[in-house]
Amino acid sequence: MAGVAEFTKFPSESLKVGKGFKLAEVDPDTTPGYPGNKADGEALLEELDDKLAELQEKLFAESKFGGTKRVLLILQGMDTAGKGGIVKHVLGAMDPQGVQFKSFKAPTPEERAYDFLWRIEREVPGAGMLGVFDRSHYEDVLIHRVHRWADPKEIERRYKAINEFEARQVAVGTKVIKVMLHISNDEQKERLLARLDNPAKHWKYNTEDLKQRAFWDDYMAAYQAAFDATNTDHAPWYVVPASKKWYARIAVQQLLLEGLGEFDLEWPKAEFDVEAERRLVERS
Amino acid sequence: MAGVAEFTKFPSESLKVGKGFKLAEVDPDTTPGYPGNKADGEALLEELDDKLAELQEKLFAESKFGGTKRVLLILQGMDTAGKGGIVKHVLGAMDPQGVQFKSFKAPTPEERAYDFLWRIEREVPGAGMLGVFDRSHYEDVLIHRVHRWADPKEIERRYKAINEFEARQVAVGTKVIKVMLHISNDEQKERLLARLDNPAKHWKYNTEDLKQRAFWDDYMAAYQAAFDATNTDHAPWYVVPASKKWYARIAVQQLLLEGLGEFDLEWPKAEFDVEAERRLVERS
């Protein structure tokens, strides 16, 4: 990677939510651990595409021979925080065959008739898959807390249920990576205005977003509370400064590279006699 | 697209299965309608990535405002024909959010307890989605015919059921594009040997493939019979010469571009007052 600026400190360390973490102290405009500029970041993203795709293919390959490893990337953030951009520009580099994507919207009447984890459970990644949740079960402790759709006791019950649910995923071989894309209030305003300026983006503009924007501080408090209650060793949170889109993308790419890297993935060994098989093919 | 060789005749015409079509007369090594070489083809593929991604995004956007259009791309072919490569290199250019991919394997005991279309029905693309089937309900009239797992009367029943099923998809707004990736017997041998030569590809090698290879002629006859019975105006077949991978990819890309192009997709118009909304955001 001659000439492409790399991270000097890994996002898995520098962006990890730790003891005493305060969301209010994170500056969304910064680029922690990365010394390069936008052009450097874009070059790095492209440079590492192939490495990420190879790791994902190895993960997929292992599962064909009994491997149980898998990844669940959870993306949260305020409207316009860039979740869709992560999906397109980071996940898009991998083989669609091995990526299991799910966008969670407001629950349907059927979904509401069950416990909040019912619809989530059905979308968890199978062995060998890289699962991505665009929003998730965290909405049930974020928007529900902000608007008091659930009382404090119920929110506490959900935190506990979430921790148990995520521990179960980890127990079957899932690496759970939870990401909050953190933009500033001003940056959201800029992005909403940019959507209004571009007719090709009007379909993404939802008048509901502005109503939620009015609750900004309550959302930040709800995120802080969620970090306090659900940042576990088995399923840690990462807060990614996201006012610079290019930075958020390379940071999430790194988190995936590091997470997959920890799996020590190898190409599965042939379970057949390669030479004998070659002779059979040649004669066929 | 200065300098990039384009198709002189569209794949939607030149590769379409017509009256009296004979699979035996298609040369898998050719590049119908395309005057360029491999380097040209690779440049074209990359050149048209963005156009394909934009059409797919428009398709997705329309569905958010009641649009019912969608695409179902069905990929069939002998082992090693390149279905996975199409998914990775053609579909991979689009936003994973709008691509619904399903690989059909041998049916599970549960799936076998139902009619053959039961598991297929559950995977059809929703409105706005680009669905891709890697293998499909056609296996039930291909491998089942070759090995006589179903008798001729049952195969006839299935052809009819397939035509009715596909007509139903079209009726709700689906463009059904059925593709057979056609490689030669010799090319399959080369590709199997190449997999054996590369330890990173051993996981893709299945000793079962060689067993199926022994039935090559029967498979070609089963494909021909399937074309004769299920090539309909509403859901036409395209036979894509696929011994040259680069050609198969640009041909399928073109079929998607043309298919999406026929939808006359537009960015949805704002259903809100853009100026009023802008003032609200500015004040927020």
Side-chain angles (χ1 to χ4, degrees):
Chain A
M1 303 216 311
V4 179
E6 296 182 54
F7 276 88
T8 52
K9 194 173 176 194
F10 285 132
S12 61
E13 292 171 52
S14 53
L15 305 183
K16 195 170 185 170
V17 169
K19 213 172 143 59
F21 171 88
K22 295 285 169 238
L23 180 59
E25 291 167 7
V26 177
D27 182 348
D29 293 317
T30 54
T31 61
Y34 192 69
N37 59 20
K38 183 178 177 181
D40 296 320
E42 287 174 347
L44 183 69
L45 186 72
E46 206 186 321
E47 190 76 34
L48 293 176
D49 263 2
D50 287 347
K51 192 176 170 190
L52 185 59
E54 184 182 318
L55 285 169
Q56 176 268 316
E57 193 181 341
K58 282 182 174 169
L59 180 72
F60 187 79
E62 274 203 5
S63 73
K64 299 297 157 198
F65 296 83
T68 59
K69 295 165 191 162
R70 68 203 81 178
V71 173
L72 174 58
L73 173 68
I74 295 175
L75 297 173
Q76 286 288 155
M78 299 296 285
D79 294 313
T80 76
K83 300 182 295 294
I86 297 285
V87 172
K88 189 167 175 178
H89 298 281
V90 182
L91 285 313
M94 289 177 279
D95 192 339
Q97 203 165 167
V99 178
Q100 195 176 321
F101 172 80
K102 177 64 187 178
S103 172
F104 288 100
K105 309 292 182 190
T108 64
E110 188 195 16
E111 288 168 346
R112 273 200 296 269
Y114 293 88
D115 177 61
F116 76 107
L117 289 171
W118 179 78
R119 65 173 186 160
I120 307 294
E121 187 90 39
R122 312 206 298 180
E123 303 291 344
V124 298
M129 298 298 286
L130 199 153
V132 186
F133 286 176
D134 177 350
R135 303 191 185 273
S136 66
H137 41 293
Y138 283 99
E139 294 299 321
D140 296 278
V141 293
L142 293 168
I143 191 169
H144 283 237
R145 185 182 191 272
V146 166
H147 296 299
R148 300 190 172 79
W149 296 341
D151 64 30
K153 202 177 143 194
E154 169 63 9
I155 296 286
E156 288 300 324
R157 182 190 78 82
R158 292 183 190 178
Y159 290 145
K160 186 160 174 284
I162 286 172
N163 288 339
E164 289 166 357
F165 164 78
E166 291 175 355
R168 241 185 330 108
Q169 307 314 312
V170 173
V172 296
T174 315
K175 184 169 294 286
V176 179
I177 302 172
K178 302 188 290 197
V179 168
M180 182 219 184
L181 297 173
H182 187 35
I183 55 171
S184 66
N185 185 291
D186 282 349
E187 179 68 18
Q188 189 188 51
K189 183 190 281 192
E190 291 306 311
R191 292 186 185 182
L192 289 172
L193 289 172
R195 282 189 183 172
L196 290 170
D197 286 342
N198 183 353
K201 303 266 187 196
H202 283 174
W203 71 275
K204 288 187 179 182
Y205 187 91
N206 187 336
T207 53
E208 178 65 24
D209 295 354
L210 197 53
K211 289 178 199 152
Q212 296 306 322
R213 177 170 163 75
F215 294 91
W216 187 275
D217 292 343
D218 295 326
Y219 271 104
M220 293 306 114
Y223 269 106
Q224 179 69 53
F227 297 147
D228 292 343
T230 66
N231 186 55
T232 55
D233 286 341
H234 59 266
W237 272 104
Y238 300 92
V239 172
V240 175
S243 286
K244 293 184 168 70
K245 288 181 187 174
W246 63 266
Y247 175 77
R249 290 170 191 170
I250 57 173
V252 174
Q253 186 190 50
Q254 284 292 327
L255 290 173
L256 288 170
L257 285 168
E258 292 174 53
L260 287 162
E262 285 166 18
F263 276 152
D264 291 323
L265 298 160
E266 296 290 348
W267 292 117
K269 296 255 176 301
E271 288 183 335
F272 51 85
D273 180 336
V274 176
E275 280 317 309
E277 202 66 26
R278 192 193 313 273
R279 284 190 297 275
L280 285 173
V281 174
E282 270 163 0
R283 251 187 279 135
S284 73
Chain B
M1 303 216 309
V4 179
E6 296 182 54
F7 276 88
T8 52
K9 193 174 176 193
F10 285 133
S12 60
E13 292 171 52
S14 54
L15 305 182
K16 195 170 186 170
V17 169
K19 214 171 142 61
F21 171 87
K22 294 286 168 237
L23 180 59
E25 291 168 7
V26 177
D27 182 347
D29 294 316
T30 53
T31 61
Y34 192 69
N37 60 18
K38 183 178 178 181
D40 296 321
E42 287 173 347
L44 183 68
L45 186 71
E46 206 185 322
E47 189 77 34
L48 293 176
D49 262 3
D50 287 348
K51 192 176 169 191
L52 185 58
E54 183 181 319
L55 285 169
Q56 176 267 316
E57 192 181 343
K58 281 182 176 169
L59 179 71
F60 187 79
E62 274 204 3
S63 73
K64 299 297 157 197
F65 296 83
T68 59
K69 296 165 190 161
R70 68 203 82 177
V71 173
L72 174 58
L73 173 68
I74 295 175
L75 297 173
Q76 287 287 155
M78 299 296 285
D79 294 313
T80 78
K83 299 183 295 296
I86 297 285
V87 172
K88 189 166 173 178
H89 298 281
V90 181
L91 286 312
M94 288 176 280
D95 192 339
Q97 204 165 166
V99 178
Q100 194 176 323
F101 172 80
K102 176 65 187 178
S103 171
F104 287 100
K105 309 291 182 190
T108 63
E110 189 196 14
E111 289 169 347
R112 272 199 298 267
Y114 294 88
D115 177 61
F116 76 108
L117 288 172
W118 179 77
R119 64 173 188 161
I120 308 292
E121 186 90 39
R122 311 205 299 179
E123 304 290 345
V124 298
M129 298 298 287
L130 200 153
V132 186
F133 286 176
D134 176 350
R135 302 191 185 275
S136 66
H137 42 292
Y138 283 99
E139 293 300 321
D140 296 277
V141 294
L142 292 168
I143 191 169
H144 282 237
R145 184 183 193 271
V146 167
H147 296 299
R148 300 187 172 81
W149 297 341
D151 64 30
K153 201 176 145 195
E154 169 63 9
I155 296 286
E156 288 299 325
R157 181 190 78 82
R158 292 182 188 177
Y159 290 145
K160 186 161 174 282
I162 286 173
N163 287 339
E164 289 165 357
F165 164 78
E166 291 175 354
R168 241 183 332 108
Q169 307 314 312
V170 174
V172 294
T174 314
K175 184 169 294 288
V176 179
I177 301 172
K178 303 188 291 199
V179 168
M180 183 218 184
L181 297 172
H182 187 36
I183 56 171
S184 67
N185 185 292
D186 283 348
E187 179 68 19
Q188 189 188 51
K189 182 190 281 193
E190 291 306 311
R191 293 186 184 182
L192 289 172
L193 289 171
R195 284 188 183 173
L196 290 169
D197 286 343
N198 183 353
K201 302 266 187 195
H202 284 173
W203 71 276
K204 287 187 179 180
Y205 187 91
N206 187 335
T207 53
E208 177 65 24
D209 295 354
L210 197 54
K211 288 178 201 155
Q212 296 306 322
R213 176 169 164 75
F215 293 91
W216 187 275
D217 292 344
D218 295 327
Y219 272 104
M220 294 305 114
Y223 270 106
Q224 179 69 53
F227 298 147
D228 293 344
T230 66
N231 186 54
T232 55
D233 287 339
H234 59 268
W237 272 105
Y238 301 91
V239 172
V240 175
S243 286
K244 293 185 168 69
K245 288 180 186 174
W246 63 266
Y247 174 78
R249 290 169 192 171
I250 56 173
V252 175
Q253 187 190 48
Q254 284 292 327
L255 290 173
L256 288 170
L257 285 169
E258 291 173 55
L260 286 164
E262 285 166 17
F263 276 151
D264 291 322
L265 298 160
E266 296 291 346
W267 293 117
K269 296 256 176 300
E271 290 184 332
F272 50 85
D273 180 335
V274 176
E275 281 316 308
E277 203 65 27
R278 193 194 313 273
R279 283 190 296 274
L280 286 173
V281 174
E282 269 162 2
R283 252 187 279 135
S284 73

